[in-house]
Amino acid sequence: MAKITLKQYLDSTASPDDLKELIQLIAAQGPAIRNAFITNQKYADTQNIYGETQMKLDIWSNEHLKQVLKKSKLVKELASEEEAEVLSFPDAKSNYAVTMDPLDGSSLIQVNLAVGTIIGIYDNGKVMQPGKNMRAAMYILYGPLTTLTVTVKEGIYMFALNDKNEFTMTDQNVKIGDKKLYGTGALQKDWVPKHKKFINEIVKDGFKLRYSGSFVADVHQFLKYGGVFSYPLYKGHMGGKLRLLFEANPLGFIVTQAGGKVSTGEKNILTIMPEKVDHRVPIYIGTKKYVERAEKIIKG
Ligand code: AHM
Ligand code: MG
């Protein structure tokens, strides 16, 4: 039987046509970004596709997605991890607002590990709002396969790019697993005592370490297998490292849709009103019972 394409899946949901269009447009940039991995590398024997001096891939992906979204007329506001200010496109015909991390985990590009594009979509034209108001969220993961995970608030669906550059469904209605895996960021010498206590506890309980340095890749693993990813607040960075708008909210929304949880250790991240574009948060994300275990220690 023919595989279900992203378009066929979206057509089976209650999503408005312009939302389906927006998701497919962003998905269609997956192959373009994937190709840029070759053309933008130092060893490439050509100039990049714009014929310009080769740009860092995260900057290139930002420029590329920015132009595509602006031209689409589907997006009123765009916030990007690579931009200091929120961008407005007043002549847009639809009222979507998009947050993007064009290439999360970009420090891993040079060592050929998985990185990804993270997207949050709101349908009321504003990016500065709590993550729970999201209308849809998605990420594209560039690993041995290029995969797409999406929610339109009707569960979590995963797709993989085939040899015809189409995304076809690999996983439907994904529910987060409960394997005892963990990954945690920041230097151990800088951890606050409560975070140290949490990690010591789960290690004693038999949790296995899995940490790559790419948030989107690590969360993808825990979403499928189960586990808990954390990037705590730490000495010198008492607000944490990861960004609310671009990293924590979209992946938090997806993990929550899959039955998992996302927390600062004290409260649900999706309820936080962003104070600035670059708002950062400590994060515990993954299997619900493991995130609650962290909360018990952090709050206690
Ligand atoms: P970046 O946007 O500067 O790449 O930072 C985000 C990344 C996440 O993808 C990852 O989880 C984390 O930073 C890794 O940080 P560290 O290098 O401190 O382990
Ligand atoms: Mg990032």
Side-chain angles (χ1 to χ4, degrees):
M1 212 175 75
K3 295 247 188 188
I4 299 169
T5 63
L6 176 64
K7 178 177 185 329
Q8 286 168 334
Y9 164 66
L10 290 171
D11 283 341
S12 76
T13 68
S15 314
D17 286 346
D18 54 356
L19 179 61
K20 293 191 257 183
E21 200 185 321
L22 178 58
I23 291 171
Q24 288 180 92
L25 179 68
I26 295 168
Q29 307 321 309
I33 293 174
R34 170 122 232 165
N35 287 343
F37 280 93
I38 299 173
T39 52
N40 281 49
Q41 293 289 340
K42 290 194 197 78
Y43 61 75
D45 55 7
T46 53
Q47 288 183 311
N48 74 16
I49 63 170
Y50 292 148
E52 297 159 344
T53 319
Q54 287 163 3
M55 242 186 266
K56 272 179 72 188
L57 204 52
D58 43 2
I59 309 295
W60 184 88
S61 307
N62 181 57
E63 291 301 324
H64 179 76
L65 287 168
K66 204 166 77 179
Q67 295 315 322
V68 166
L69 292 175
K70 185 177 179 201
K71 212 173 121 199
S72 75
K73 302 256 191 288
L74 294 166
V75 177
K76 276 254 158 68
E77 270 192 10
L78 174 65
S80 166
E81 203 192 277
E82 301 293 341
E83 303 279 337
E85 308 286 340
V86 175
L87 307 173
S88 298
F89 306 133
D91 60 341
K93 294 188 180 72
S94 292
N95 209 25
Y96 292 105
V98 170
T99 65
M100 66 177 185
D101 184 346
L103 218 46
D104 180 53
S106 51
S107 72
L108 297 182
I109 292 167
Q110 294 306 322
V111 291
N112 198 27
L113 289 182
V115 298
T117 301
I118 309 174
I119 302 281
I121 300 174
Y122 298 86
D123 61 4
N124 58 1
K126 293 271 160 244
V127 290
M128 296 297 275
Q129 56 182 314
K132 65 176 164 54
N133 298 348
M134 233 173 264
R135 178 61 184 85
M138 62 197 276
Y139 61 85
I140 304 172
L141 189 63
Y142 312 97
L145 291 176
T146 299
T147 62
L148 170 77
T149 299
V150 65
T151 182
V152 290
K153 299 215 287 189
E154 297 181 33
I156 301 300
Y157 288 75
M158 293 179 179
F159 301 81
L161 198 66
N162 67 16
D163 53 358
K164 298 184 194 84
N165 267 353
E166 293 166 334
F167 280 106
T168 59
M169 194 184 285
T170 54
D171 300 80
Q172 43 183 316
N173 204 14
V174 176
K175 296 291 172 212
I176 194 163
D178 67 354
K179 251 189 154 175
K180 290 182 170 179
L181 299 175
Y182 81 101
T184 185
L187 298 181
Q188 294 197 23
K189 71 175 182 61
D190 293 337
W191 287 353
V192 293
K194 283 176 176 172
H195 181 70
K196 195 175 281 177
K197 184 162 181 245
F198 170 60
I199 298 299
N200 285 343
E201 247 188 45
I202 61 174
V203 168
K204 252 188 236 145
D205 187 22
F207 278 62
K208 186 199 272 187
L209 177 62
R210 290 281 175 88
Y211 185 82
S212 74
S214 165
F215 178 58
V216 62
D218 289 344
V219 170
H220 181 71
Q221 176 171 194
F222 297 160
L223 178 59
K224 291 211 73 170
Y225 293 158
V228 55
F229 176 97
S230 53
Y231 209 112
L233 46 78
Y234 56 105
K235 240 181 265 161
H237 296 264
M238 293 309 276
K241 175 182 179 184
L242 297 189
R243 288 101 172 160
L244 177 62
L245 259 67
F246 311 115
E247 290 155 338
N249 272 339
L251 293 191
F253 192 79
I254 286 173
V255 163
T256 303
Q257 280 273 315
K261 196 164 179 173
V262 65
S263 174
T264 62
E266 298 200 317
K267 65 175 168 208
N268 184 340
I269 281 183
L270 299 174
T271 63
I272 298 174
M273 180 67 201
E275 286 159 18
K276 50 181 181 175
V277 179
D278 190 33
H279 191 135
R280 291 167 195 251
V281 280
I283 185 167
Y284 296 81
I285 180 170
T287 306
K288 194 166 178 228
K289 61 186 173 189
Y290 306 151
V291 173
E292 285 171 354
R293 207 161 156 179
E295 282 182 321
K296 216 168 143 197
I297 294 171
I298 307 292
K299 281 186 199 167

